[in-house]
Short mmCIF file of all heavy atoms in Angstrom, two decimals:
data_model
loop_
_atom_site.label_atom_id
_atom_site.label_comp_id
_atom_site.label_asym_id
_atom_site.label_seq_id
_atom_site.Cartn_x
_atom_site.Cartn_y
_atom_site.Cartn_z
N LEU A 7 -53.98 54.93 16.31
CA LEU A 7 -54.54 53.58 16.40
C LEU A 7 -56.06 53.62 16.46
O LEU A 7 -56.74 52.82 15.83
CB LEU A 7 -53.98 52.84 17.62
CG LEU A 7 -52.47 52.56 17.57
CD1 LEU A 7 -52.02 51.86 18.84
CD2 LEU A 7 -52.10 51.71 16.37
N LEU A 8 -56.58 54.58 17.23
CA LEU A 8 -58.04 54.67 17.37
C LEU A 8 -58.71 55.05 16.05
O LEU A 8 -59.84 54.68 15.79
CB LEU A 8 -58.42 55.67 18.46
CG LEU A 8 -58.08 55.26 19.90
CD1 LEU A 8 -58.42 56.36 20.88
CD2 LEU A 8 -58.83 53.98 20.29
N GLU A 9 -57.97 55.80 15.22
CA GLU A 9 -58.58 56.29 13.98
C GLU A 9 -58.27 55.39 12.79
O GLU A 9 -58.69 55.67 11.67
CB GLU A 9 -58.12 57.73 13.71
CG GLU A 9 -58.74 58.69 14.71
CD GLU A 9 -58.29 60.12 14.53
OE1 GLU A 9 -57.48 60.37 13.60
OE2 GLU A 9 -58.74 60.96 15.31
N ARG A 10 -57.50 54.31 13.01
CA ARG A 10 -57.13 53.42 11.92
C ARG A 10 -58.36 52.69 11.39
O ARG A 10 -59.15 52.18 12.17
CB ARG A 10 -56.16 52.36 12.48
CG ARG A 10 -54.96 52.15 11.63
CD ARG A 10 -53.93 51.41 12.46
NE ARG A 10 -53.30 50.42 11.61
CZ ARG A 10 -53.48 49.13 11.71
NH1 ARG A 10 -54.25 48.62 12.62
NH2 ARG A 10 -52.87 48.32 10.88
N PRO A 11 -58.54 52.65 10.06
CA PRO A 11 -59.72 51.94 9.54
C PRO A 11 -59.63 50.44 9.82
O PRO A 11 -58.55 49.91 10.06
CB PRO A 11 -59.67 52.21 8.02
CG PRO A 11 -58.32 52.74 7.73
CD PRO A 11 -57.68 53.19 9.01
N GLY A 12 -60.77 49.79 9.80
CA GLY A 12 -60.79 48.32 9.94
C GLY A 12 -61.22 47.85 11.31
O GLY A 12 -61.66 46.72 11.46
N VAL A 13 -61.08 48.69 12.34
CA VAL A 13 -61.56 48.30 13.68
C VAL A 13 -62.49 49.42 14.15
O VAL A 13 -62.08 50.57 14.19
CB VAL A 13 -60.39 48.22 14.70
CG1 VAL A 13 -60.85 47.58 16.00
CG2 VAL A 13 -59.22 47.48 14.12
N PRO A 14 -63.73 49.09 14.52
CA PRO A 14 -64.63 50.14 15.02
C PRO A 14 -64.00 50.83 16.22
O PRO A 14 -63.39 50.15 17.05
CB PRO A 14 -65.90 49.38 15.43
CG PRO A 14 -65.78 48.02 14.82
CD PRO A 14 -64.33 47.76 14.55
N PRO A 15 -64.11 52.18 16.32
CA PRO A 15 -63.40 52.91 17.38
C PRO A 15 -63.66 52.39 18.79
O PRO A 15 -62.75 52.30 19.59
CB PRO A 15 -63.89 54.35 17.22
CG PRO A 15 -64.40 54.43 15.83
CD PRO A 15 -64.83 53.06 15.42
N HIS A 16 -64.92 51.98 19.10
CA HIS A 16 -65.18 51.54 20.48
C HIS A 16 -64.45 50.23 20.76
O HIS A 16 -63.99 49.98 21.87
CB HIS A 16 -66.67 51.42 20.77
CG HIS A 16 -67.33 50.22 20.15
ND1 HIS A 16 -67.72 50.20 18.84
CD2 HIS A 16 -67.63 49.01 20.66
CE1 HIS A 16 -68.25 49.00 18.57
NE2 HIS A 16 -68.20 48.27 19.65
N GLU A 17 -64.29 49.38 19.71
CA GLU A 17 -63.55 48.13 19.91
C GLU A 17 -62.06 48.41 20.02
O GLU A 17 -61.36 47.80 20.83
CB GLU A 17 -63.80 47.16 18.75
CG GLU A 17 -65.20 46.60 18.76
CD GLU A 17 -65.32 45.26 18.04
OE1 GLU A 17 -64.29 44.70 17.61
OE2 GLU A 17 -66.46 44.80 17.91
N ALA A 18 -61.57 49.33 19.19
CA ALA A 18 -60.14 49.68 19.23
C ALA A 18 -59.78 50.18 20.63
O ALA A 18 -58.75 49.81 21.20
CB ALA A 18 -59.84 50.76 18.19
N GLU A 19 -60.69 50.98 21.20
CA GLU A 19 -60.43 51.53 22.54
C GLU A 19 -60.38 50.41 23.58
O GLU A 19 -59.50 50.39 24.44
CB GLU A 19 -61.57 52.50 22.84
CG GLU A 19 -61.29 53.46 23.93
CD GLU A 19 -62.51 54.33 24.15
OE1 GLU A 19 -62.87 55.11 23.26
OE2 GLU A 19 -63.13 54.18 25.23
N ARG A 20 -61.31 49.45 23.45
CA ARG A 20 -61.34 48.34 24.42
C ARG A 20 -60.11 47.46 24.26
O ARG A 20 -59.52 47.01 25.25
CB ARG A 20 -62.63 47.54 24.25
CG ARG A 20 -63.83 48.30 24.81
CD ARG A 20 -65.16 47.73 24.42
NE ARG A 20 -65.42 46.40 24.96
CZ ARG A 20 -66.60 45.77 24.87
NH1 ARG A 20 -67.60 46.37 24.27
NH2 ARG A 20 -66.77 44.58 25.38
N LEU A 21 -59.68 47.22 23.02
CA LEU A 21 -58.50 46.38 22.81
C LEU A 21 -57.23 47.09 23.28
O LEU A 21 -56.31 46.46 23.81
CB LEU A 21 -58.38 45.98 21.33
CG LEU A 21 -59.50 45.05 20.83
CD1 LEU A 21 -59.36 44.79 19.34
CD2 LEU A 21 -59.50 43.73 21.61
N LEU A 22 -57.20 48.41 23.10
CA LEU A 22 -56.05 49.18 23.60
C LEU A 22 -55.97 49.09 25.11
O LEU A 22 -54.88 49.00 25.69
CB LEU A 22 -56.19 50.64 23.19
CG LEU A 22 -55.40 51.07 21.95
CD1 LEU A 22 -55.72 52.52 21.63
CD2 LEU A 22 -53.90 50.88 22.14
N TYR A 47 -51.30 45.15 21.00
CA TYR A 47 -52.55 45.67 20.42
C TYR A 47 -52.79 45.07 19.03
O TYR A 47 -53.88 44.59 18.71
CB TYR A 47 -52.51 47.19 20.37
CG TYR A 47 -53.67 47.78 19.61
CD1 TYR A 47 -54.94 47.85 20.18
CD2 TYR A 47 -53.50 48.26 18.31
CE1 TYR A 47 -56.01 48.36 19.48
CE2 TYR A 47 -54.57 48.78 17.60
CZ TYR A 47 -55.81 48.83 18.19
OH TYR A 47 -56.89 49.33 17.50
N PHE A 48 -51.72 45.06 18.19
CA PHE A 48 -51.89 44.53 16.83
C PHE A 48 -52.23 43.04 16.84
O PHE A 48 -53.01 42.57 16.02
CB PHE A 48 -50.64 44.81 15.98
CG PHE A 48 -50.51 46.27 15.63
CD1 PHE A 48 -49.38 46.99 15.97
CD2 PHE A 48 -51.55 46.92 14.98
CE1 PHE A 48 -49.29 48.33 15.68
CE2 PHE A 48 -51.45 48.28 14.68
CZ PHE A 48 -50.32 48.99 15.03
N LEU A 50 -53.93 41.55 19.20
CA LEU A 50 -55.34 41.46 19.60
C LEU A 50 -56.26 41.79 18.42
O LEU A 50 -57.29 41.15 18.20
CB LEU A 50 -55.62 42.42 20.77
CG LEU A 50 -55.01 42.01 22.11
CD1 LEU A 50 -55.04 43.18 23.10
CD2 LEU A 50 -55.77 40.82 22.71
N VAL A 51 -55.87 42.80 17.63
CA VAL A 51 -56.69 43.19 16.47
C VAL A 51 -56.77 42.01 15.49
O VAL A 51 -57.84 41.70 14.96
CB VAL A 51 -56.10 44.44 15.78
CG1 VAL A 51 -56.73 44.67 14.41
CG2 VAL A 51 -56.31 45.67 16.66
N GLU A 52 -55.65 41.33 15.28
CA GLU A 52 -55.65 40.18 14.36
C GLU A 52 -56.59 39.10 14.86
O GLU A 52 -57.37 38.52 14.10
CB GLU A 52 -54.23 39.59 14.23
CG GLU A 52 -53.34 40.35 13.27
CD GLU A 52 -54.10 40.76 12.01
OE1 GLU A 52 -54.64 39.87 11.32
OE2 GLU A 52 -54.17 41.97 11.73
N ARG A 54 -59.12 39.47 16.83
CA ARG A 54 -60.51 39.96 16.73
C ARG A 54 -61.01 39.83 15.30
O ARG A 54 -62.14 39.41 15.05
CB ARG A 54 -60.54 41.43 17.19
CG ARG A 54 -61.90 42.06 17.16
CD ARG A 54 -62.80 41.55 18.25
NE ARG A 54 -64.17 41.99 18.07
CZ ARG A 54 -65.19 41.18 17.80
NH1 ARG A 54 -65.03 39.88 17.75
NH2 ARG A 54 -66.39 41.67 17.61
N ARG A 55 -60.12 40.18 14.33
CA ARG A 55 -60.52 40.07 12.90
C ARG A 55 -60.78 38.62 12.52
O ARG A 55 -61.56 38.34 11.62
CB ARG A 55 -59.41 40.63 12.00
CG ARG A 55 -59.36 42.13 12.06
CD ARG A 55 -58.77 42.66 10.77
NE ARG A 55 -58.74 44.10 10.77
CZ ARG A 55 -57.64 44.83 10.67
NH1 ARG A 55 -56.46 44.24 10.53
NH2 ARG A 55 -57.71 46.14 10.66
N LEU A 60 -64.89 39.72 21.41
CA LEU A 60 -64.25 40.78 22.18
C LEU A 60 -64.18 40.40 23.67
O LEU A 60 -63.18 40.64 24.34
CB LEU A 60 -65.10 42.04 22.00
CG LEU A 60 -64.52 43.40 22.35
CD1 LEU A 60 -63.18 43.61 21.67
CD2 LEU A 60 -65.51 44.48 21.93
#
Side-chain angles (χ1 to χ4, degrees):
L7 295 178
L8 291 176
E9 290 178 0
R10 227 164 139 251
V13 191
H16 74 279
E17 289 204 6
E19 198 182 293
R20 286 167 66 172
L21 293 176
L22 261 176
Y47 172 76
F48 289 122
L50 289 166
V51 167
E52 280 318 302
R54 181 72 190 114
R55 286 206 178 120
L60 197 51

